[in-house]
Amino acid sequence: MNQGIPKDTFSPSAQLSVRNVTKVFHGKKDVFSRLSGKASTDFIAIEDISLDIEPNTFVSIIGPSGCGKSTLLNMIAGLAPTTAGEILLNDVPIKGPGPDRGMVFQNYALMPWMTVEENLQFAVQTVHPRLTAKHIQRTIKEHIQLVGLTGAEKKHPHELSGGMRQRVGIARALAIDPQILLMDEPFGALDALTRGFLQDEIERIWEQQRKTVIMITHSIEEALLLSDRIVMMTRGPAAHIDEILEVPFSRPRNRETLDQHPAYHDLKAEMESHLFRETRAVEAARISGR
Ligand code: ADP
Ligand code: MG
């Protein structure tokens, strides 16, 4: 059985504030647009998004493919700058990546030549260079145990299943003890069963640690199982927030009984109709060449 990590060893959870954020990708002029006199190929991905996320809150972001979810998350991670507006973490503007944010990627992004424990060690050492070797070893052991990978410490990523690789990704993100966990479709590449197991693991770990989490997902059921709030984004270009749903289910949550809650089916229907409407509009625009 996986063990928890003592509560007093965590960093406090973060408050995040996205203020009037716009992101424009500046395209290069191609030959055709130069000849045809087209002024610019700038692309407004997201426009004037504001969002406040309280500490200890699990927030999911859903929206049609290509609407700008990863763009927003990457700016929160500090991997890309905002074009306008600012993002504050505990009232401090984000200027780049930092030890206060841990990221889990859909494609795991592990170092293929490193073992499981080396992947964790590299991350912890890079983010916290002053920690003693003993402290680092203890942190690695605890987090490998937390995600149920004890026994796989010496394995390389190619020796692991997709689910196990993503367990390493989650352990690595948590081992640096971030104040906020950012996950970009973390289970998108996994089969349904493995996905379910990992969702349950995330629910269990979140119960213990209650870190602020922002997770992008395409799965309505996943968002309903894990989130306190669900941010629904419109289609792009110039995507913005359409609506934020409050998820009222008590915790700990159980996937078997969740749909017995009186609000479950209404919330699900609302999300389905939002995604269907926005995706249909994207398709219509594509067909008409707009
Ligand atoms: P999502 O994660 O919601 O699927 P993205 O955030 O990846 O969407 O992309 C949003 C939009 O911005 C898309 O139209 C995409 O093509 C565009 N985009 C993303 N990154 C870049 C970039 N580096 N340069 C130009 N356009 C980009
Ligand atoms: Mg994306």
Side-chain angles (χ1 to χ4, degrees), residues 144-158:
I144 286 178
Q145 202 168 7
L146 180 74
V147 299
L149 279 180
T150 304
E153 293 87 344
K154 308 280 182 213
K155 290 196 189 299
H156 287 82
H158 74 268

Side-chain angles (χ1 to χ4, degrees), residues 16-243:
L16 187 87
S17 188
V18 177
R19 295 199 182 148
N20 306 104
V21 165
T22 293
K23 180 70 180 180
V24 179
F25 290 109
H26 300 289
K28 286 195 190 122
K29 272 193 187 179
D30 56 28
V31 176
F32 177 74
S33 35
R34 249 183 264 142
L35 289 175
S36 63
K38 268 195 183 168
S40 152
T41 53
D42 286 356
F43 178 79
I44 304 172
I46 61 177
E47 187 167 44
D48 199 22
I49 283 191
S50 293
L51 174 68
D52 279 306
I53 298 180
E54 301 303 318
N56 313 111
T57 310
F58 196 123
V59 172
S60 289
I61 301 178
I62 67 160
S65 205
C67 76
K69 302 179 294 297
S70 297
T71 299
L72 179 61
L73 204 72
N74 288 342
M75 289 189 291
I76 295 170
L79 299 173
T82 63
T83 308
E86 59 180 358
I87 305 177
L88 308 175
L89 191 71
N90 300 323
D91 298 323
V92 179
I94 288 173
K95 299 281 183 211
D100 39 29
R101 280 149 291 153
M103 187 96 172
V104 177
F105 301 91
Q106 179 176 355
N107 61 1
Y108 325 122
L110 304 176
M111 309 288 187
W113 63 91
M114 291 184 183
T115 63
V116 168
E117 60 186 4
E118 285 167 352
N119 265 282
L120 266 66
Q121 184 176 353
F122 179 73
V124 177
Q125 253 167 2
T126 307
V127 174
H128 303 291
R130 286 161 189 260
L131 286 182
T132 62
K134 201 170 155 196
H135 190 139
I136 292 175
Q137 286 316 314
R138 197 179 66 225
T139 301
I140 293 169
K141 192 168 176 232
E142 282 172 352
H143 284 85
I144 286 178
Q145 202 168 7
L146 180 74
V147 299
L149 279 180
T150 304
E153 293 87 344
K154 308 280 182 213
K155 290 196 189 299
H156 287 82
H158 74 268
E159 299 174 274
L160 305 175
S161 66
M164 289 168 86
R165 285 183 210 176
Q166 196 53 300
R167 284 173 192 267
V168 182
I170 293 165
R172 178 181 59 182
L174 290 172
I176 64 165
D177 190 28
Q179 294 184 33
I180 182 165
L181 185 63
L182 308 174
M183 302 197 281
D184 194 347
E185 299 190 39
F187 314 126
L190 304 175
D191 64 83
L193 200 61
T194 309
R195 189 176 184 132
F197 285 138
L198 276 190
Q199 288 164 353
D200 291 345
E201 291 285 285
I202 286 288
E203 159 71 2
R204 179 183 61 79
I205 293 169
W206 194 82
E207 286 299 334
Q208 284 176 19
Q209 305 199 355
R210 302 231 164 198
K211 285 186 190 290
T212 309
V213 176
I214 306 178
M215 176 181 76
I216 296 174
T217 180
H218 279 295
S219 163
I220 290 172
E221 289 80 8
E222 182 170 291
L224 286 170
L225 176 69
L226 295 171
S227 323
D228 297 307
R229 294 162 77 205
I230 299 170
V231 175
M232 299 199 293
M233 282 176 70
T234 65
R235 65 190 178 275
H240 51 274
I241 294 174
D242 184 35
E243 202 186 337

